[in-house]
Amino acid sequence: MDLKGFDRPYEAAAEGALPAGTRSVKVMIAGGFGTGKTTMVRSVSDIRPLTTEETLTQASAGVDHLIGVADKQETTVSLDFGRIGLNDRLVLYLFGTPGQERFWFLWNGLFKGALGAVVLVDTRRLASSFRAIEEMERQHVPFVIALNVFPDSTEHPVEEVREALDIPPHTPVITCDARDRASSRDVLIALIRHLKERSAAAVEPR
């Protein structure tokens, strides 16, 4: 993968964390409550991920919206963190956002310095990811949409979902299985390609 054209590369070598010449990029994994953000970070991370999941209790029943995710046992209360090297020159630092409305105040800090984002969508509950999409647009963070396929999901054409979410044509919409490392990695590669295309388009003479 050609890495030329990134507009905001992070030179991790200066920090001594990675070999000289390696670029590190901060990427957000966002989405609604129960869309698979923690699962994706866990499945794809090269290191043991840091998670801040707490057990859901009866006390949160009136606060967290469990419709469609009644079997969910835990919830992220701060962030998830992982790291993956896509090749010997590019490392992604992954920051998973909390999905519940009561933790949205944390998003502003988490998005600082992010080059791009993956918005995970559960097609059984499209409305659960509206807020995440709106936040990407508000903070001008480039993103791709990843349709996380759950066992009981109904298959919908990608363009039908794009229209339902009101996603512009230039934003990639792809399907994935957040439990599968290869599938999650493909989503991240799609994001990096999207960022590279945006960067190249920005420097083209008009």
Side-chain angles (χ1 to χ4, degrees), residues 24-200:
S24 62
V25 173
K26 180 178 181 181
V27 169
M28 305 306 301
I29 309 295
F33 180 51
T35 54
K37 300 178 295 296
T38 300
T39 299
M40 174 171 279
V41 173
R42 283 176 171 167
S43 72
V44 80
S45 180
D46 292 334
I47 62 173
R48 182 177 180 179
L50 167 68
T51 62
T52 58
E53 288 203 314
E54 296 291 341
T55 302
L56 284 167
T57 65
Q58 188 61 35
S60 70
V63 179
D64 297 322
H65 302 288
L66 301 179
I67 297 174
V69 287
D71 294 334
K72 188 171 175 59
Q73 301 295 315
E74 297 178 317
T75 182
T76 299
V77 297
S78 180
L79 62 86
D80 300 316
F81 173 77
R83 186 183 77 181
I84 177 174
L86 292 185
N87 55 37
D88 60 359
R89 296 180 57 200
L90 181 63
V91 171
L92 306 185
Y93 288 98
L94 311 175
F95 290 77
T97 65
Q100 312 93 302
E101 185 173 353
R102 57 192 168 121
F103 297 124
W104 285 351
F105 70 92
L106 296 169
W107 283 31
N108 285 336
L110 289 175
F111 275 83
K112 185 176 181 180
L115 190 66
V118 172
V119 177
L120 276 168
V121 171
D122 179 352
T123 56
R124 303 169 303 175
R125 302 178 297 117
L126 288 180
S128 67
S129 290
F130 287 168
R131 174 66 169 78
I133 294 171
E134 291 172 357
E135 191 66 15
M136 300 302 140
E137 295 172 343
R138 185 181 74 84
Q139 302 216 30
H140 305 289
V141 176
F143 64 95
V144 299
I145 296 289
L147 308 179
N148 191 13
V149 179
F150 288 83
D152 60 343
S153 296
T154 301
E155 185 174 348
H156 297 281
V158 167
E159 291 309 311
E160 182 178 302
V161 177
R162 179 191 296 277
E163 183 176 354
L165 293 172
D166 194 24
I167 302 299
H170 64 268
T171 299
V173 179
I174 54 181
T175 60
C176 75
D177 183 343
R179 302 168 299 178
D180 182 76
R181 175 178 172 83
S183 181
S184 296
R185 186 175 184 273
D186 287 345
V187 171
L188 296 172
I189 290 174
L191 172 62
I192 294 302
R193 286 175 175 160
H194 178 53
L195 295 175
K196 184 175 181 296
E197 289 170 0
R198 282 174 54 94
S199 180

